[in-house]
Amino acid sequence: MAGKILVLFAHPLLERSRANKALISAYQQHGACTFHDLYEEYPLFDVDIEREQQLLLEHDIIIWHHPLYWYSCPPLLKQWIDMVLTVGWAYGPGGTALRGKKLIQVITSGGSEAVYQHDGSNRYTIQEFLRPFEQTARLCKMQYLPPFVVHGTHRLDEATLLVFRVALGELLDSLHSDDHSATDWAQYPTIHHFLATRAAL
Ligand SMILES: Cc1cc2nc3c(=O)[nH]c(=O)nc-3n(C[C@H](O)[C@H](O)[C@H](O)COP(=O)(O)O)c2cc1C
């Protein structure tokens, strides 16, 4: 069954963005994606809970797309999580609205892949920093897929950003067509480790 994809995008400084601006064009070119720019929708952080829950119900695959800010997400996405994932709806007794949906994070980081190693300056891997998000998804009975991570954004030239944008498009195709790669992906630390086995990343 073809899945509908909801992209919850959180970037407070999109006008100054290079990496994310390049990546999000993949969504705009993809027919199965609803692109939802949270800072555009809620500049005052007044998240419309009913509207957001309705959007979640209408989609099968949820993407949290954001730059890494202080090893986490920008504050509006945290506000969205705090407001929208309510007890009795998303988790807890009777909280089954999101059961079986897939959740994936698309992340950009200033730090290189090398610094996100146990012997690197950040001491932990990206997957370790993302554990609160992973467990949030699991508590809500969603299937948490390995993240799509673009590291070292400051040093990426336009050609490399284009390669990542194309890879993101490929990921969207896989998610949309539900070609069972979700099971294959689970064994990779990030989605682009998986994509690298199939394409020239
Ligand atoms: C407030 C702030 C906090 C940041 N925190 C981190 C961080 O914890 N780790 C990291 O690798 N990069 C960090 N960065 C760098 C951003 O992740 C990077 O600039 C962004 O991913 C680049 O994407 P863009 O060109 O779309 O803005 C931070 C940047 C800002 C502005």
Side-chain angles (χ1 to χ4, degrees):
M1 192 188 66
K4 286 176 70 188
I5 304 171
L6 175 63
V7 184
L8 299 161
F9 177 64
H11 193 311
L13 297 166
L14 188 56
E15 62 283 2
R16 282 197 242 153
S17 156
R18 219 169 56 84
N20 287 285
K21 209 178 269 173
L23 290 172
I24 61 177
S25 61
Y27 304 124
Q28 281 138 3
Q29 290 164 13
H30 202 280
C33 282
T34 304
F35 181 71
H36 197 44
D37 182 340
L38 295 179
Y39 276 92
E40 176 100 357
E41 296 290 332
Y42 304 116
L44 302 178
F45 278 51
D46 51 345
V47 175
D48 181 338
I49 298 170
E50 269 180 41
R51 176 183 179 216
E52 295 303 311
Q53 290 185 340
Q54 188 54 39
L55 272 173
L56 288 169
L57 292 176
E58 289 165 7
H59 293 81
D60 313 288
I61 300 135
I62 316 302
I63 296 182
W64 286 336
H65 182 146
H66 61 90
L68 198 67
Y69 274 14
W70 289 108
Y71 308 107
S72 185
C73 63
L76 182 52
L77 181 56
K78 182 59 167 59
Q79 169 84 345
W80 182 97
I81 291 170
D82 293 350
M83 295 296 115
V84 177
L85 303 183
T86 52
V87 65
W89 188 81
Y91 72 99
T96 56
L98 303 175
R99 175 179 280 162
K101 294 184 190 290
K102 294 187 174 74
L103 188 123
I104 182 162
Q105 285 181 275
V106 176
I107 310 279
T108 60
S109 79
S112 65
E113 192 170 351
V115 302
Y116 284 98
Q117 305 296 330
H118 291 153
D119 58 357
S121 55
N122 281 327
R123 300 177 54 236
Y124 301 100
T125 65
I126 278 284
Q127 295 75 25
E128 286 166 337
F129 283 115
L130 296 180
R131 276 195 185 142
F133 298 95
E134 175 182 354
Q135 184 53 26
T136 298
R138 288 188 195 279
L139 186 70
C140 297
K141 303 167 192 74
M142 292 190 275
Q143 183 186 2
Y144 183 84
L145 300 177
F148 182 97
V149 186
V150 179
H151 282 296
T153 48
H154 307 306
R155 273 174 248 112
L156 295 179
D157 60 19
E158 295 305 316
T160 312
L161 282 172
L162 178 62
V163 172
F164 280 110
R165 208 251 292 142
V166 170
L168 182 57
E170 196 187 327
L171 167 65
L172 297 175
D173 289 341
S174 281
L175 287 168
H176 173 58
S177 59
D178 197 16
D179 60 5
H180 304 292
S181 0
T183 324
D184 305 340
W185 292 340
Q187 59 190 298
Y188 293 92
T190 69
I191 288 291
H192 74 268
H193 283 89
F194 166 72
L195 293 171
T197 65
R198 310 200 312 175
L201 253 189

